[in-house]
Amino acid sequence: MTIDTPITLVVLDMAGTTVSDDGTVERAFLAADAAVGLAADDAGRQEMLQYVRDTMGYSKIVVFRHLANGDEDLARRANAAFESAYREIVASGGCEPIPGAAETIHALRAAGIRTAFTTGFSAETQEALLASLGWTDIVDVVLTPADAGRGRPFPDMPLTALIRTETESVRQMVVVGDTANDVLSGVRSGAAASVGVLTGAHDEAALRAAGATHVLASIADLPSLLGLPVLEAR
């Protein structure tokens, strides 16, 4: 089934959607815990990881504020340790694109569809990730929660992407992500479609429960959903 409404903007999540995760986010959270002592014991650590999985897609500082029980200084130190650990993973070559992601983005842009990347990471980490993949100029707009006001599951990032790309209506926008919170952000934005992909944190049941209009095996299937040809790898 394709989307019949003319689409002029696609808003894409990064880790788990266009960039392979393979547990890197959880490893960075564990590094943050080791640095600042968020969990008191192994049981607390497992509880922490479950909360991290449930809130995948959120702004990371928001997650750390919860894990730090409202201690803002502890949350900020933990967030800094997380971002540092994730950037080390990126610098060591630990992040790869989801197969077909670059080709999908090129196909969208070749069809005149504008593209945006959104993330729960800081701008510095987002920039490091894009540079490591050679994706600095691959999309029209890159956004973090700090750019938009609030992160997921709020609609601020998709709506900011719409404004910055001068897209005429939310009904011309598609939001794509691998978590329930990505999907919910798209639903709340009023997007024509909020599409889940099965290459990241949450399964089809969770994506459907959040309101996904479509669930795809991966980002590589998006051009077909939009009725576009897929370009050959560059």
Side-chain angles (χ1 to χ4, degrees):
M1 183 176 64
T2 61
I3 296 173
D4 296 328
T5 305
I7 299 302
T8 60
L9 170 64
V10 173
V11 180
L12 300 162
D13 171 54
M14 296 186 68
T17 301
T18 53
V19 181
S20 179
D21 179 18
D22 292 330
T24 53
V25 171
E26 287 192 19
R27 291 204 302 274
F29 267 101
L30 288 172
D33 173 54
V36 304
L38 291 168
D41 52 29
D42 286 342
R45 198 162 293 110
Q46 290 306 310
E47 184 178 345
M48 177 191 77
L49 285 177
Q50 187 56 55
Y51 183 77
V52 167
R53 294 174 190 128
D54 293 342
T55 57
M56 282 290 189
Y58 274 32
S59 169
K60 298 302 178 280
I61 185 62
V62 171
V63 176
F64 281 116
R65 284 176 180 140
H66 172 86
L67 295 175
N69 296 312
D71 184 330
E72 184 67 17
D73 177 66
L74 179 59
R76 289 188 178 278
R77 288 190 289 113
N79 188 61
F82 168 87
E83 299 282 352
S84 177
Y86 195 89
R87 287 196 295 272
E88 286 182 12
I89 293 170
V90 170
S92 68
C95 292
E96 297 288 339
I98 295 287
E103 292 77 21
T104 290
I105 295 168
H106 292 315
L108 295 173
R109 299 189 77 180
I113 297 173
R114 294 189 176 184
T115 53
F117 274 147
T118 59
T119 184
F121 297 140
S122 69
E124 185 178 4
T125 299
Q126 184 187 54
E127 289 167 6
L129 183 54
L130 291 172
S132 74
L133 297 170
W135 283 6
T136 302
D137 299 316
I138 198 172
V139 296
D140 298 288
V141 174
V142 295
L143 295 169
T144 69
D147 297 313
R150 296 175 298 180
R152 308 177 189 107
F154 299 104
D156 300 33
M157 287 197 289
L159 293 176
T160 300
L162 179 140
I163 291 168
R164 292 198 182 180
T165 57
E166 299 182 349
T167 299
E168 292 183 4
S169 168
V170 293
R171 304 309 298 167
Q172 296 174 330
M173 176 173 67
V174 168
V175 176
V176 186
D178 68 293
T179 74
N181 296 305
D182 298 326
V183 168
L184 186 54
S185 178
V187 170
R188 289 176 171 178
S189 74
S194 192
V195 179
V197 293
L198 298 175
T199 50
H202 293 164
D203 62 15
E204 181 168 1
L207 298 171
R208 294 285 187 192
T213 55
H214 307 77
V215 176
L216 306 177
S218 82
I219 191 69
D221 296 325
L222 184 62
S224 295
L225 181 65
L226 299 178
L228 304 175
V230 179
L231 301 183
E232 294 297 324
R234 297 187 174 188

